Amino acid sequence: MNSFILLSLFASIIAGKSPRLKFVVRDPVRFHFTKPENYISMYHQEGSDTVYVGGQAMIYLLTFTDRGVRNLQIPAVSDETAKATCMAKAAPPKLECDNFITVIQKVNDTFLVCGTNAGSPRCWMLANETVLTDVQGGGQIASASDISPAYPSQKSISLIADGSLYSAMSSVGGHPGSIRRTFGTQKLLKTENVWLLNPQFAGAAIIPSSQKFKEEVYFFFSEINKTARVDEEPYRARIGRVCAVDEGGIKPLLPDSWTTFMKARVMCGAGSTQQQYNNLKQAVVLTAQDKRDGVLYGLFSNAWGRTVICAYSIEDIDQAFSTSKLKGYSSPFIGSRPGMCVFKNSTTGGHNDMKNLGVMRYHPEIEDVIRPVGVAPLDLPTDDQITHTAADIVLAVNDEHYSVLYLGTEQGKVLKVLHTNAEVFIISQYSVFHNEGPVLNMAIDTQKGHLYIGTAMEVQRLPLADCSRYGDTCRDCILSRDPYCSWDRVSRKCIAIPPGYNITTGALIQNLDYSNSSVCGEAAALKQRKTSPREVVVQSNTTVFLPCPVRSFHATYRWEKDNCFKNYPCLFSGDFCVLGPVVDVPLKEGVFRCMATEDGFKVEVIAFRLVNDGRLLAASMASTVGLSLLLAAATLWLH
């Protein structure tokens, strides 16, 4: 019987870092690739039902409906000459000698597609959203090798900002890595080689401003730390920044380079242990109505591969770039501070302009270090390796904005996380894929309320507001602490907050800052609620295990017998609180009720009435009845 008793805990499942709810989504809207796509890029335009997925020698146009997915596949094969040249080389792996689509972006009215083309990157236009053609007109374009990496294992980032394409290419082999403006009507610019030390890029974001000329583009990356000791990791995480209005320097100095590029070190520490996570793997930025009042979420790893997330204030980052001393520079500034976002008033190259350009050329790094909000990483599960993140900012019924993180894991699960000023609350965990594998990409559509998730085998869509899953009581709805969902006093349902909801009506209620359902006023009814016991007939010599499905992993679970005050603890097996034959548990006849306590309220989950028919079961069968009864009871509850 040891196989049934996985672990004995006192009375509860440890809540802290666990998801409160776990869902297995059996029938999401999904698309299956016909072959594994181990490197995928993804483009989705807000308000559209179509997702563009770049794969190996193929572009997938996936249109999602409630009934399924319509797909159009556009071949994008590599040049035969490029493929032959790639195959003749000693490196990279021969599997990378193909055309992997790494960039799909819409710049103004132009769909730009770029791929590795077997080591000789190439770009196309996607005409009529179905046909690849050569790039024509529409503004300046850099070399394809500055937009797409030569091989899929080389990380690159692309971003559209104010009608221009920005590209960040990680260092590999002899390529030093760069940040460039690569397509559009603005001047094409680049970083100087000495500004970046073997960068590995993790993300990019535009930081809006009420004053258009002050808009900035942030780049997030790790670079080599040349001064690292033997016992230190050889990486340092960085934020790089350029101004969207930057048009380069003057002929004698930085004519084709950024004049506003600055970078800062980013720290992600683990509290009192002082363990640092220096390898920045991915970054996403959320900005609300006040554009500077935003937050950066960075996914970091350490030398042992453990992943954590640190959160940073955009206001703090902006303050550092605006006021910090420049590393290695101690003289006073003449005129405006170098690196600030200003329109160029002159191209004549006056003394002050030349001096400021010289300062930026040789001193792009600031002294201030960017540290996370709350000092330590977010308090998330330590056994989940996070592979990809997405984030949304939600306006709740109290007219406040709340951050929601979606964390894709190595096992293909998705964690939905609420981040408030006070804490991290893991709303739920979704198991959604038929084929377990790492989450490679995600995209959020806030207009239509969808999350798109991609692995090497599937792309699927989930609703952001999945309110009906939380239950049919006010308490269930409120304790979910899902910013998308609220309890409707009139319809008495857990519903998604409708667009344009007027908070003055008071029709909808939430409590996102704390796990407290007192706003429901249902305490008396909850304490009296009971279920009808399910009768189970057992033989005298049968070993019985009674299963109680765990609905909330933040509740404590106990068993009661015949309404007595004495409680019996659970033996936890998977997602069930099991009552088994341990010392002082009279598991023979009577009514056994499984009680869950959360937020100060005790609720009955399930009840069994055991009836002994007085017969003895054959010894050969007695050893298996416990499992049979366990599964039978679980099936009864689930259906």
Side-chain angles (χ1 to χ4, degrees):
M1 291 300 168
N2 290 338
S3 59
F4 303 114
I5 306 174
L6 300 185
L7 184 62
S8 178
L9 301 178
F10 292 104
S12 66
I13 293 175
I14 298 174
K17 296 182 180 181
S18 66
R20 180 176 176 268
L21 302 171
K22 294 182 181 180
F23 301 123
V24 176
V25 185
R26 303 189 185 281
D27 296 305
V29 182
R30 71 173 84 224
F31 170 80
H32 287 270
F33 295 117
T34 56
K35 60 180 177 62
E37 293 286 2
N38 295 312
Y39 301 97
I40 61 171
S41 56
M42 189 180 289
Y43 171 82
H44 174 262
Q45 187 168 350
E46 284 271 325
S48 168
D49 289 318
T50 299
V51 179
Y52 297 76
V53 180
Q56 182 177 355
M58 191 70 68
I59 302 170
Y60 302 87
L61 270 66
L62 308 179
T63 302
F64 286 76
T65 68
D66 292 335
R67 295 184 177 182
V69 184
R70 298 194 307 270
N71 81 91
L72 174 65
Q73 299 181 22
I74 305 171
V77 298
S78 57
D79 299 338
E80 288 302 321
T81 302
K83 194 166 186 175
T85 302
C86 180
M87 296 294 287
K89 295 178 180 178
K94 298 299 182 278
L95 292 176
E96 295 193 10
C97 289
D98 206 337
N99 187 30
F100 293 85
I101 302 302
T102 58
V103 176
I104 306 175
Q105 292 285 1
K106 190 173 185 180
V107 189
N108 297 323
D109 295 325
T110 303
F111 251 116
L112 187 69
V113 175
C114 299
T116 61
N117 191 37
S120 301
R122 186 177 172 187
C123 292
W124 300 265
M125 289 174 60
L126 187 59
N128 300 320
E129 300 187 350
T130 58
V131 181
L132 292 178
T133 64
D134 292 333
V135 177
Q136 303 168 354
Q140 306 176 78
I141 184 168
S143 167
S145 61
D146 294 326
I147 305 175
S148 171
Y151 304 104
S153 53
Q154 180 185 6
K155 187 71 179 290
S156 66
I157 298 294
S158 60
L159 172 75
I160 302 299
D162 200 24
S164 293
L165 178 67
Y166 292 76
S167 303
M169 196 71 59
S170 297
S171 172
V172 66
H175 194 295
S178 64
I179 296 171
R180 296 173 180 260
R181 188 188 288 145
T182 52
F183 184 66
T185 56
Q186 290 179 276
K187 186 175 181 179
L188 306 185
L189 299 175
K190 61 180 178 61
T191 44
E192 297 278 291
N193 288 344
V194 295
W195 292 346
L196 301 171
L197 301 174
N198 294 55
Q200 298 296 312
F201 285 95
I206 184 168
I207 309 300
S209 173
S210 55
Q211 296 176 287
K212 191 70 175 174
F213 72 92
K214 288 189 176 181
E215 287 190 345
E216 300 164 334
V217 184
Y218 283 4
F219 297 88
F220 311 102
F221 56 98
S222 296
E223 63 181 4
I224 293 297
N225 175 18
K226 288 185 175 181
T227 62
R229 300 191 307 266
V230 176
D231 60 341
E232 284 186 310
E233 288 184 272
Y235 300 106
R236 279 190 174 175
R238 306 283 191 188
I239 297 177
R241 189 223 68 173
V242 297
C243 297
V245 296
D246 197 331
E247 290 293 331
I250 51 184
K251 193 169 184 180
L253 194 59
L254 304 178
D256 299 311
S257 300
W258 303 106
T259 63
T260 56
F261 175 78
M262 304 176 79
K263 69 178 181 179
R265 185 178 180 189
V266 185
M267 300 285 282
C268 179
S272 58
T273 65
Q274 297 303 307
Q275 169 66 53
Q276 292 298 321
Y277 295 79
N278 294 311
N279 196 357
L280 181 54
K281 309 292 288 185
Q282 197 203 347
V284 293
V285 169
L286 292 177
T287 53
Q289 291 175 337
D290 182 352
K291 308 302 184 183
R292 297 288 169 174
D293 186 20
V295 60
L296 156 69
Y297 292 100
L299 170 62
F300 292 80
S301 70
N302 62 10
W304 295 272
R306 184 189 169 195
T307 54
V308 297
I309 289 181
C310 277
Y312 304 85
S313 162
I314 295 297
E315 187 176 9
D316 290 348
I317 298 171
D318 182 60
Q319 179 75 7
F321 278 124
S322 300
T323 61
S324 173
K325 293 181 180 179
L326 303 183
K327 187 169 286 190
Y329 184 82
S330 57
S331 301
F333 299 131
I334 300 176
S336 61
R337 175 184 170 89
M340 292 297 97
C341 298
V342 294
F343 283 118
K344 288 180 64 175
N345 296 321
S346 171
T347 59
T348 58
H351 174 73
N352 289 350
D353 291 335
M354 290 288 287
K355 184 171 179 60
N356 281 347
L357 288 177
V359 171
M360 296 312 302
R361 170 68 176 80
Y362 296 104
H363 305 282
E365 185 175 354
I366 65 172
E367 287 188 359
D368 286 0
V369 175
I370 310 299
R371 301 186 185 276
V373 175
V375 182
L378 303 188
D379 193 18
L380 293 168
T382 57
D383 56 346
D384 290 302
Q385 289 294 101
I386 303 168
T387 58
H388 201 84
T389 65
D392 192 16
I393 191 161
V394 185
L395 183 62
V397 298
N398 63 357
D399 207 30
E400 296 288 337
H401 287 94
Y402 289 83
S403 296
V404 178
L405 297 176
Y406 292 90
L407 310 178
T409 74
E410 187 76 26
Q411 295 76 32
K413 294 179 172 57
V414 177
L415 300 177
K416 187 177 187 179
V417 179
L418 168 68
H419 181 214
T420 71
N421 292 331
E423 63 172 342
V424 168
F425 179 81
I426 307 172
I427 299 169
S428 56
Q429 172 189 286
Y430 288 88
S431 299
V432 290
F433 293 104
H434 288 162
N435 302 285
E436 184 178 288
V439 173
L440 301 179
N441 217 322
M442 290 193 284
I444 283 182
D445 186 336
T446 57
Q447 287 186 22
K448 288 208 167 183
H450 294 135
L451 174 70
Y452 296 90
I453 314 158
T455 69
M457 297 303 298
E458 303 173 42
V459 177
Q460 57 180 261
R461 186 179 77 178
L462 291 177
L464 299 179
D466 206 3
C467 308
S468 61
R469 287 188 181 273
Y470 296 134
D472 55 5
T473 70
C474 177
R475 179 175 175 273
D476 291 333
C477 187
I478 295 302
L479 289 182
S480 73
R481 293 179 67 184
D482 188 330
Y484 299 101
C485 302
S486 59
W487 181 254
D488 187 341
R489 297 177 189 267
V490 177
S491 67
R492 298 190 62 78
K493 291 182 180 179
C494 194
I495 66 169
I497 302 173
Y501 169 69
N502 185 352
I503 63 172
T504 60
T505 65
L508 304 181
I509 54 175
Q510 285 177 320
N511 190 354
L512 301 179
D513 293 313
Y514 306 98
S515 294
N516 188 329
S517 62
S518 59
V519 292
C520 294
E522 296 179 344
L526 283 168
K527 289 180 178 179
Q528 297 299 319
R529 193 177 78 178
K530 290 188 177 182
T531 64
S532 298
R534 300 161 190 263
E535 186 168 295
V536 179
V537 179
V538 296
Q539 281 73 37
S540 297
N541 62 337
T542 302
T543 301
V544 179
F545 293 88
L546 298 180
C548 173
V550 174
R551 294 175 177 173
S552 169
F553 287 80
H554 289 191
T556 58
Y557 289 78
R558 304 281 288 191
W559 284 87
E560 297 178 356
K561 181 178 185 293
D562 296 330
N563 298 320
C564 295
F565 290 107
K566 187 173 182 179
N567 293 324
Y568 304 99
C570 298
L571 304 172
F572 284 98
S573 177
D575 293 346
F576 287 89
C577 156
V578 180
L579 180 63
V582 294
V583 178
D584 295 331
V585 178
L587 203 55
K588 296 298 181 183
E589 287 189 311
V591 176
F592 297 84
R593 301 182 186 275
C594 178
M595 312 299 292
T597 303
E598 185 178 12
D599 183 36
F601 297 118
K602 186 164 67 173
V603 179
E604 185 175 303
V605 180
I606 196 169
F608 294 98
R609 183 188 305 278
L610 297 190
V611 178
N612 191 328
D613 68 356
R615 292 181 298 170
L616 296 177
L617 193 67
S620 60
M621 296 180 61
S623 62
T624 61
V625 170
L627 176 59
S628 300
L629 183 56
L630 175 66
L631 296 178
T635 303
L636 279 173
W637 181 84
L638 290 172
H639 296 283

